[in-house]
Amino acid sequence: MGGTDSKLNFRKAVVQLTTKTQPVEAGDDAFWDQFWADTVTNISDVFALIPAAEIRALREESPSNLATLCYKAVEKLVSAAETGCTAPKEQQIVLNSVRLLTRVLPYIFEDADWRGFFWSTLPGQTPEEESLPLAQSLLNALADLLFCPDFSVVAAKKQQASEKPDDPQNIDSCEFIWEAGVGFATSPPHSAQLDTNRTELLKLLLTCFSETMYLPPVSDAHSIPNQWITYLCSPENRHALPLFTSLINVVCAYDPVGYGMPYNHLLFNDTREPLVEVASQILVVTLDHTQSGPNAPSSVDTLDESGEHGMADNLFVNYLSRIHREEDFRFVLKGLTRLLNNPLIQTYLPGSTKKIAFHQELLVLFWKMCDHNKKFLFFVLKSSDVLDVLVPILYHLNDARADQSRVGLMHIGVFILLLLSGERNFGVRLNKPYSVRVPMDIPVFTGTHADFLVIVFHKIITSGHQRLQPLYDCLLTIIVNVSPYLKSLSMVSANKLLHLLEAFSTPWFLFSNPSNHHLVFFILEVFNNIIQYQFDGNSNLVYTIIRKRNVFHQLANLPVEPHAITQALTRRGKKAAPAPTGEALEQPMMEGALPPVDAEPGTLKASLAATPGVASMTETSKVMPGEGVEGATGGAEGGETPADSPVKDPETAGQTEKPQPPPPGVSDTESSVESQQLAAAAAKEASSIQPPITPTEVATPAEESVARAPQRTASVSSSVTTTTTSNEWRATPEWVQSWKQKLPLQTIMRLLQVLVPQVEKICIDKGLTDESEILKFLQHGTLVGLLPVPHPILIRKYQANSGTTLWFRTYMWGVIYLRNVEPPIWYDTAVKLFEVQRIKDS
């Protein structure tokens, strides 16, 4: 009953405030104390008792009352930070003030005229008087309260009971770091109440930073740094180091499984998980922020070269970049991989293990760690621990490929793999046998992590959501980067690569869009790298190339005559055959696997900035002889850097994983039906695929880009493409010839020229019908001295630019918006950085 009365009194105070036509004096303590007295027990009550409409009405009709409310709430926090808050009543006043500000701040940011309020002179102050802006007072108070004994940290042991509590203004907060880990060896005792208080303070801090959400997704709007983040991460904040250390340690030390007692998460309330989640969100937001703005490079290496901007201004970035001890790296990597692998845990008791849901924040945090601290990146790559990052990423990519609400998750996963693939050690580590066996709807295979990667990428391309099209060139770039180091692909993954080439090299698909041929260049480069540098162990791929040799011959003899181009485009619809049915053609999937499903109708999703083209995200570097591959004397043929070339393809089940060898002289076309379907769907979508954007281009959702598709620009010989008066692109003989003559087919054709007669002869002479005998023959074969002289290996390394910086910012805040639903801090406010949409029933 008392709780109901207190809520009623709080509601009455809100009504009085919103209905008063005259300003309420700041000195009327009896009125203002109603908002933070011991009345409201949790933050959900505050959100329920202060409707959005009344906050907006207060902002528009009684601005002075709203200003006084904010001022008085900050005043309470400053007072508590100065004197401490050990008494329960004092703590309740602090928590209620925090909840009130968390509720009100988004509506202040919503109005451009109000955004400067917290940074203006306080009421009653003259210009001559020195005073901190309200925002700085608030941030200082929050930082102090995050290390306030008996409120957010455990008080130091007293020598005598008569001693006074620690003075919050004089304590050394470095002695009160929340968890052991980086730079701190002592693990303080856990307290549910302390965790809850920290969580509420951090949620208000995150709300302060969210002014970014109310700026449009264009670079110019983000040229001025977020003042809230700038101040908290500056030397002005005396708690910057212990706060950063506390956040990183709390996240990386968290173990959701604990001692492993089944269903423990259903029996006990875990107060640490909400703290870890908001801590990870604070970290990714602050590490994204540099004073040099979004147009500046984000990596530490570049910042060091360019001057003292960015990293030196942001102490969080500075501290992160200076972590160097191996034990600290090991702690961070072990913590992140433990959390990333948590959703993959399999037990005999369904639902018995706690599963976390903040893996997107963890992936961004891992990205920031690698981007700002190159020593950490090299530590990750120097052992097989990097595979503990790869497996959960591939799991999430495969699981989310059909869900349009998780397109951002697909992007961050692919971007991380693109970053890792630029380093030689990543390709080398992929040769470790894959034995994890996470239930996924992919074909059963025996092989390495490289096979796992290829199979998942094939699944994404052939059965992913339409909005994933801009990622296809990134996926193939990753395979190209690691291909010189892959010692032995399985028959399953070899078939997947050949299937992609077979589909992408269909004439009417190549002629339907000015960029589609780049996909072919990528895959041919993969084959060339493997043949030139890893021929000995890749008999499965060589065998598959021989079986599908007609694909390469057809590509080499691609028609360039005008009537042939027209005929291919005319016949493209008739070329597609219905999907084969029947259990005989189904591929066996991993046990326990569930197919990916789209989001339920009504699910909220946040729009993303347009994906930058892979050419703008990468810089090409050459691996010199002897550096990258054992026995290397150069590299793969074909030195083009393809631009965006997304394709949309539905996969069918017609590909046999272990085909029988073809009769001598006869090409195997067993999966031609599947490939025709794949390419048919690809060409059908070619007119509605998203164009690549320049780093300064305004971001647009993928579905709004249909009308701009004809403006796609090919990076190879675009000068000879032709457009009609209606701005509709048409393939011309000159255009086809311009890239056809650059197809890197010499190595593959030479391989076929040498090996096909040998394979046919052995099949006839020995009457072979078993592919294993042919594979044995190929394993002992050699092409030494027979192949063309290889060129240096081309590695396309990730390079930050304003396009990717803005994309990450949009993505991170979209995730934070959607994850904070209890309470719904930003729900129904006028955010501009992205659009929030409900998925409709298709």
Side-chain angles (χ1 to χ4, degrees):
M1 187 69 185
T4 304
D5 289 343
S6 65
K7 291 179 184 178
L8 185 61
N9 292 335
F10 184 84
R11 178 63 189 149
K12 285 180 179 177
V14 172
V15 171
Q16 288 176 10
L17 181 65
T18 55
T19 54
K20 283 182 180 291
T21 56
Q22 298 298 321
V24 181
E25 292 295 330
D28 189 352
D29 290 337
F31 174 78
W32 295 112
D33 284 349
Q34 298 177 89
F35 291 99
W36 27 81
D38 188 10
T39 52
V40 183
T41 56
N42 58 60
I43 193 168
S44 298
D45 292 339
V46 172
F47 274 69
L49 296 171
I50 311 180
E54 294 185 11
I55 301 176
R56 290 192 176 104
L58 183 64
R59 184 186 70 197
E60 303 301 329
E61 298 168 15
S62 304
S64 61
N65 286 344
L66 177 59
T68 306
L69 178 67
C70 294
Y71 167 69
K72 297 292 287 186
V74 173
E75 186 181 56
K76 289 295 179 184
L77 297 181
V78 171
S79 174
E82 289 176 348
T83 61
C85 51
T86 55
K89 185 176 181 180
E90 294 172 340
Q91 294 183 3
Q92 191 62 52
I93 290 174
V94 168
L95 291 174
N96 283 343
S97 300
V98 166
R99 294 161 183 166
L100 194 66
L101 288 170
T102 303
R103 180 56 171 155
V104 169
L105 270 173
Y107 297 90
I108 288 180
F109 295 149
E110 188 181 65
D111 190 326
D113 295 334
W114 270 85
R115 284 180 205 148
F117 164 70
F118 273 86
W119 297 95
S120 57
T121 306
L122 292 180
Q125 299 286 338
T126 62
E128 291 77 20
E129 292 181 278
E130 288 189 9
S131 67
L132 290 177
L134 197 60
Q136 293 186 15
S137 299
L138 172 58
L139 291 173
N140 288 338
L142 288 176
D144 287 339
L145 290 169
L146 285 168
F147 295 95
C148 181
D150 291 326
F151 180 65
S152 56
V153 294
V154 178
K157 292 182 180 179
K158 306 295 185 299
Q159 297 297 323
Q160 299 177 3
S162 59
E163 284 190 22
K164 295 182 179 179
D166 293 317
D167 182 358
Q169 295 300 309
N170 294 324
I171 66 169
D172 181 3
S173 51
C174 288
E175 297 178 1
F176 292 88
I177 291 173
W178 301 346
E179 187 58 77
V182 177
F184 193 69
T186 306
S187 184
H190 284 195
S191 165
Q193 189 57 52
L194 296 183
D195 282 351
T196 302
N197 293 344
R198 293 167 181 166
T199 301
E200 295 216 36
L201 292 170
L202 290 179
K203 280 193 178 290
L204 175 55
L205 202 55
L206 191 63
T207 307
C208 293
F209 297 161
S210 67
E211 182 178 339
T212 303
M213 280 194 197
Y214 300 90
L215 303 176
V218 292
S219 295
D220 290 347
H222 299 264
S223 58
I224 300 175
N226 184 312
Q227 295 182 85
W228 297 87
I229 301 176
T230 299
Y231 185 80
L232 186 89
C233 299
S234 73
E236 299 291 326
N237 175 15
R238 70 187 184 95
H239 301 291
L241 177 58
L243 179 55
F244 169 79
T245 310
S246 296
L247 294 173
I248 196 80
N249 288 355
V250 158
V251 171
C252 296
Y254 178 55
D255 184 359
V257 177
Y259 291 108
M261 187 177 75
Y263 301 107
N264 61 342
H265 60 288
L266 302 179
L267 302 175
F268 309 103
N269 184 30
D270 184 5
T271 57
R272 181 51 64 102
E273 183 184 8
L275 173 62
V276 172
E277 182 173 334
V278 70
S280 65
Q281 292 170 355
I282 292 283
L283 281 172
V284 297
V285 168
T286 51
L287 293 174
D288 173 64
H289 179 81
T290 59
Q291 283 201 7
S292 37
N295 293 322
S298 63
S299 71
V300 170
D301 291 351
T302 311
L303 289 168
D304 286 341
E305 295 169 6
S306 60
E308 63 277 357
H309 291 294
M311 186 180 71
D313 295 329
N314 185 332
L315 290 182
F316 278 30
V317 174
N318 186 279
Y319 295 146
L320 176 62
S321 69
R322 287 162 51 189
I323 297 174
H324 63 280
R325 297 192 307 171
E326 288 220 350
E327 53 265 39
D328 291 338
F329 286 154
R330 193 172 296 110
F331 166 75
V332 171
L333 181 59
K334 184 179 179 181
L336 292 178
T337 54
R338 177 175 56 244
L339 294 174
L340 287 172
N341 282 278
N342 168 262
L344 284 63
I345 295 175
Q346 300 299 315
T347 60
Y348 292 106
L349 300 173
S352 63
T353 304
K354 182 180 181 65
K355 300 293 178 69
I356 63 166
F358 54 92
H359 47 270
Q360 297 189 82
E361 293 94 321
L362 294 171
L363 289 173
V364 177
L365 181 57
F366 177 79
W367 170 275
K368 292 296 180 185
M369 287 285 299
C370 292
D371 195 30
H372 289 307
N373 192 321
K374 297 306 179 188
K375 291 180 181 177
F376 175 75
L377 174 60
F378 298 143
F379 176 84
V380 171
L381 291 167
K382 80 174 187 178
S383 73
S384 296
D385 290 342
V386 68
L387 302 178
D388 293 331
V389 177
L390 171 72
V391 171
I393 288 177
L394 292 178
Y395 169 82
H396 287 301
L397 290 181
N398 185 70
D399 185 58
R401 70 180 190 272
D403 186 348
Q404 58 179 307
S405 70
R406 292 193 283 171
V407 171
L409 170 59
M410 299 289 296
H411 281 70
I412 181 62
V414 171
F415 287 167
I416 289 175
L417 296 183
L418 180 62
L419 177 71
L420 295 176
S421 72
E423 305 297 334
R424 172 188 178 274
N425 275 0
F426 180 67
V428 173
R429 301 300 168 201
L430 291 179
N431 291 303
K432 184 177 180 180
Y434 176 72
S435 56
V436 181
R437 301 302 170 205
V438 179
M440 296 168 59
D441 62 327
I442 59 174
V444 176
F445 72 96
T446 301
T448 65
H449 284 77
D451 297 307
F452 184 35
L453 181 140
V454 169
I455 291 168
V456 170
F457 282 11
H458 174 272
K459 201 79 174 177
I460 294 170
I461 292 175
T462 57
S463 62
H465 191 270
Q466 177 182 352
R467 292 183 64 195
L468 301 181
Q469 292 166 355
L471 287 179
Y472 293 171
D473 51 359
C474 286
L475 295 172
L476 294 181
T477 298
I478 293 166
I479 300 178
V480 170
N481 281 348
V482 302
S483 59
Y485 315 108
L486 306 184
K487 294 182 179 299
S488 178
L489 287 178
S490 69
M491 186 64 77
V492 176
S493 54
N495 271 296
K496 297 302 184 187
L497 288 174
L498 262 296
H499 170 235
L500 290 177
L501 178 65
E502 192 172 7
F504 294 149
S505 61
T506 309
W508 46 265
F509 173 66
L510 290 171
F511 300 156
S512 62
N513 186 275
S515 297
N516 284 349
H517 64 283
H518 294 308
L519 296 169
V520 173
F521 277 84
F522 273 132
I523 301 178
L524 291 178
E525 189 173 346
V526 171
F527 294 155
N528 286 332
N529 283 342
I530 293 176
I531 293 170
Q532 291 282 14
Y533 300 111
Q534 302 293 347
F535 176 82
D536 290 345
N538 276 288
S539 55
N540 288 327
L541 180 63
V542 174
Y543 171 69
T544 309
I545 289 174
I546 292 174
R547 282 180 47 247
K548 298 295 184 82
R549 57 193 176 277
N550 263 17
V551 176
F552 301 97
H553 291 303
Q554 291 169 4
L555 193 56
N557 297 313
L558 191 71
V560 297
E561 298 80 11
H563 70 276
I565 295 174
T566 304
Q567 188 177 29
L569 291 170
T570 304
R571 293 173 53 194
R572 68 181 184 180
K574 302 175 184 179
K575 197 98 166 156
T581 57
E583 295 298 322
L585 294 176
E586 299 261 343
Q587 297 175 350
M589 295 298 169
M590 300 182 73
E591 184 178 355
L594 296 174
V597 293
D598 199 355
E600 291 290 330
T603 302
L604 293 177
K605 65 174 181 177
S607 63
L608 289 166
T611 311
V614 72
S616 67
M617 286 195 299
T618 57
E619 59 177 2
T620 304
S621 62
K622 294 182 179 181
V623 177
M624 300 309 293
E627 282 184 11
V629 186
E630 294 180 17
T633 57
E637 297 173 15
E640 300 191 49
T641 305
D644 257 335
S645 45
V647 189
K648 172 64 182 165
D649 319 289
E651 185 189 39
T652 65
Q655 183 178 346
T656 305
E657 295 304 333
K658 289 192 174 182
Q660 295 299 315
V666 178
S667 173
D668 175 30
T669 57
E670 62 175 53
S671 62
S672 60
V673 172
E674 180 189 20
S675 301
Q676 289 172 10
Q677 261 226 330
L678 180 61
K684 183 178 179 181
E685 299 290 347
S687 62
S688 62
I689 48 187
Q690 184 178 4
I693 67 166
T694 60
T696 56
E697 188 169 337
V698 177
T700 56
E703 53 266 30
E704 295 177 5
S705 302
V706 175
R708 297 164 55 199
Q711 300 170 15
R712 289 172 57 84
T713 307
S715 66
V716 180
S717 306
S718 58
S719 59
V720 295
T721 55
T722 305
T723 54
T724 64
T725 54
S726 62
N727 203 29
E728 190 173 330
W729 181 86
R730 289 278 186 269
T732 64
E734 295 79 14
W735 172 77
V736 175
Q737 187 62 41
S738 70
W739 57 261
K740 177 188 171 183
Q741 63 189 6
K742 298 178 182 178
L743 285 170
L745 288 168
Q746 298 90 341
T747 299
I748 297 171
M749 288 304 187
R750 183 58 178 158
L751 177 145
L752 293 174
Q753 182 183 6
V754 173
L755 293 183
V756 169
Q758 296 180 17
V759 172
E760 291 180 347
K761 185 175 186 300
I762 196 173
C763 286
I764 295 172
D765 291 348
K766 296 186 178 182
L768 296 181
T769 57
D770 185 2
E771 68 177 9
S772 62
E773 294 296 324
I774 301 176
L775 289 172
K776 285 182 181 178
F777 167 76
L778 292 173
Q779 286 170 2
H780 296 94
T782 179
L783 292 177
V784 174
L786 300 175
L787 295 178
V789 177
H791 297 86
I793 299 169
L794 295 179
I795 301 297
R796 297 168 180 86
K797 293 194 175 189
Y798 171 81
Q799 180 65 38
N801 61 53
S802 60
T804 54
T805 301
L806 184 58
W807 186 93
F808 272 106
R809 188 163 296 169
T810 307
Y811 169 62
M812 286 187 305
W813 280 111
V815 169
I816 290 170
Y817 178 101
L818 296 175
R819 294 284 302 147
N820 284 275
V821 293
E822 293 181 2
I825 298 177
W826 300 280
Y827 181 72
D828 202 28
T829 62
V831 296
K832 295 181 181 178
L833 188 62
F834 46 82
E835 291 182 18
V836 179
Q837 305 149 340
R838 288 189 182 274
I839 294 177
K840 299 178 181 178
D841 194 358
S842 53

